[in-house]
């Protein structure tokens, strides 16, 4: 009986550790900052060993002899010890995130999203957004069907290439998705490559940002599938998601998108600016699973910088009790 209880306890601990690991991964947006290195598993003390110092079973305190079996027992501590160490790592990571929020002058530390679902929700076209023959076409939606208080941050075009924005989002570990148009990113493809290397998913927003319903099927194909080809050439992957410029589309738009690898068409429920929010819904509020739109813009185009926009949108999201989750984990 004692052995059975131990096995059960170990199983519960392993399951909890797995959940904590998923939560830790879900809260990041890729790219490890100097602070994040201290939050990795195995760094429970928060102080990395000096270069060349012994690690793991070899390590011991200065001037202290190590017993033969100490190396096997001390670092382990059983499942409960491992769990406690991992929980301490998560606590330290959250503390560093709080420091980053203060450094970037956010009103509050952003909330951490829960682990993503093991099975992604079924996405359907929003009522009123249908086109003829839509049952076989990529769904068009403004909200992901979830119960958790999470929203999704998406950024369009690519005109502004602010290095401070990249650093800010990496340090705060806020996930977001980028929908890019080639005509405004082609002067600095490398900026978005750095973004991709930080774990941000890059998606399709057409070659030239034209009003698609006014184009023929062939012209739409050049705009949408042409951008798929560009994205694969520049960033090594054909996007799964596509957002039509201005949110305007017709049946040809969705048929073309589906023909070149697009599986879903996320629009938006709210839009963020440095000085205000705009809302699609009548109640002018956030809802679980809402998609938030903003743009790569700077002071030449709106009243503030991209970091200003992040401060504004994160105040709104956090004050309403929501966390930002990674769209690609749900769609």
């Amino acid at each position: 009986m004692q052995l059975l209880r131990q096995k059960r306890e170990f199983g519960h601990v392993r399951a909890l550790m797995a959940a904590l690991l998923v939560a830790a991964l879900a809260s990041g947006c890729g790219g490890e900052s100097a602070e994040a290195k201290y939050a990795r598993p195995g760094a429970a003390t928060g102080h990395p060993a000096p270069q060349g110092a012994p690690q793991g079973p070899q390590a011991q305190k200065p001037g202290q002899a190590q017993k033969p079996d100490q190396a096997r027992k001390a670092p382990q501590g059983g499942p409960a010890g491992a769990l406690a160490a991992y929980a301490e790592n998560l606590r330290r990571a959250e503390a560093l995130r709080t420091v980053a929020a203060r450094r970037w002058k956010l009103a509050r530390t952003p909330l951490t999203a829960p682990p993503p679902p093991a099975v992604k929700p079924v996405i359907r076209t929003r009522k009123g957004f249908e086109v003829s023959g839509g049952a076989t076409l990529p769904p068009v939606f403004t909200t992901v069907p979830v119960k958790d208080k999470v929203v999704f941050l998406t950024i369009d075009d690519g005109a502004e290439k602010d290095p401070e924005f990249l650093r800010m989002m990496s340090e705060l570990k806020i996930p977001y998705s980028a929908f890019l148009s080639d005509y405004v990113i082609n002067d600095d493809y490398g900026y978005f490559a750095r973004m991709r290397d930080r774990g941000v998913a890059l998606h399709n927003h057409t070659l030239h940002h034209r009003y698609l319903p006014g184009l023929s099927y062939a012209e739409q194909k050049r705009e949408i599938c042409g951008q798929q080809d560009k994205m694969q050439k520049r960033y090594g992957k054909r996007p799964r998601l596509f957002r039509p410029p201005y949110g305007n589309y017709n049946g040809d738009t969705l048929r073309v998108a589906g023909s070149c690898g697009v599986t879903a068409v996320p629009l938006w429920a709210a839009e963020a600016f440095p000085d205000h929010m705009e809302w699609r819904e009548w109640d002018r509020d956030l809802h679980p699973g809402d998609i938030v739109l903003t743009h790569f813009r700077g002071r030449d185009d709106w009243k503030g910088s991209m970091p200003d926009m992040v401060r504004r949108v994160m105040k709104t999201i956090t004050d309403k009790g929501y966390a930002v989750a990674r769209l690609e984990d749900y769609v």
Side-chain angles (χ1 to χ4, degrees):
M1 291 299 292
Q2 179 67 20
L3 179 59
L4 180 59
R5 283 196 298 270
Q6 290 176 346
K7 288 183 176 179
R8 286 176 177 169
E9 286 181 5
F10 186 67
H12 292 324
V13 170
R14 286 201 308 176
L16 183 54
M17 289 181 67
L20 288 170
L21 176 60
V22 172
L25 292 173
S27 67
C29 64
E32 186 178 36
S33 66
E35 297 97 337
K37 293 180 180 179
Y38 293 99
R40 292 179 298 189
T45 63
H47 300 286
Q51 185 175 7
Q55 303 290 320
Q58 304 292 327
Q60 62 186 30
K61 295 180 180 179
Q64 180 180 1
Q66 189 176 40
K67 296 180 181 179
D69 61 343
Q70 186 178 8
R72 292 190 299 273
K73 294 180 180 178
Q76 301 296 327
L83 179 59
Y86 195 81
E88 175 64 11
N89 289 337
L90 293 180
R91 187 193 67 77
R92 289 178 179 275
E94 188 62 21
L96 290 169
R97 201 159 173 254
T98 299
V99 171
R102 290 182 186 139
R103 180 163 60 246
W104 288 103
K105 299 180 181 179
L106 269 66
R108 295 173 59 189
T109 303
L111 300 176
T112 300
V119 178
K120 293 181 180 181
V122 176
I123 307 294
R124 294 186 173 89
T125 293
R126 176 173 173 162
K127 187 175 181 179
F129 288 57
E130 304 93 340
V131 297
S132 178
T136 61
L137 299 177
V140 181
F141 55 101
T142 62
T143 299
V144 177
V146 298
K147 294 181 179 179
D148 291 326
K149 292 191 72 172
V150 298
V151 295
F152 306 98
L153 183 61
T154 63
I155 311 180
D156 278 9
D157 301 343
E160 181 75 6
K161 302 165 185 71
D162 186 346
E164 288 293 282
F165 169 78
L166 284 184
R167 191 162 67 89
M168 180 183 196
M169 298 300 272
S170 293
E171 291 182 7
L172 291 169
K173 302 200 178 302
I174 299 172
Y176 61 100
S177 305
F179 289 78
L180 305 178
S181 291
D182 188 70
Y183 84 109
V184 286
I185 71 170
N186 60 19
D187 62 338
D188 190 357
Y189 288 119
Y191 178 84
F192 300 97
R194 293 191 293 277
M195 187 177 292
R196 175 206 59 197
D197 293 344
R198 286 165 165 81
V200 177
L202 309 181
H203 297 296
N204 187 330
H205 197 45
T206 73
L207 284 173
H208 302 101
H209 205 273
R210 299 179 68 186
Y211 176 73
L212 295 178
L215 304 181
S216 68
Y217 183 94
E219 289 170 326
Q220 291 200 50
K221 187 170 185 178
R222 281 194 291 274
E223 281 293 319
I224 300 169
C225 298
Q227 181 66 349
Q228 291 287 87
D229 295 339
K230 285 274 188 181
M231 298 290 285
Q232 182 169 26
K233 177 181 177 181
R234 292 292 176 177
Y235 304 115
K237 190 173 183 180
R238 293 175 76 80
R240 292 189 300 107
L241 306 183
F242 160 69
R243 176 174 286 157
Y246 318 107
N248 295 126
Y249 62 94
N250 59 17
D252 281 349
T253 308
L254 302 184
R255 280 184 280 274
V256 165
S259 75
C260 51
V262 170
T263 61
V265 180
L267 297 185
W268 61 91
E271 185 171 358
F273 298 86
D275 58 340
H276 71 284
M277 296 284 296
E278 293 185 0
W279 308 92
R280 184 187 294 270
E281 307 303 334
W282 66 271
D283 59 358
R284 299 175 58 82
D285 203 358
L286 290 176
H287 313 86
D290 275 356
I291 298 169
V292 179
L293 163 69
T294 189
H295 291 81
F296 290 98
R297 296 284 189 272
R299 295 185 183 278
D300 292 340
D301 299 293
W302 60 15
K303 297 177 181 179
S305 64
M306 291 202 71
D308 291 333
M309 176 275 298
V310 173
R311 282 185 278 270
R312 175 73 190 206
V313 71
M314 291 310 304
K315 176 172 172 50
T316 300
I317 290 170
T318 307
D319 284 353
K320 292 177 179 292
Y322 284 83
V324 178
R326 185 174 182 270
L327 180 63
E328 294 75 19
D329 290 338
Y330 291 76
V331 177

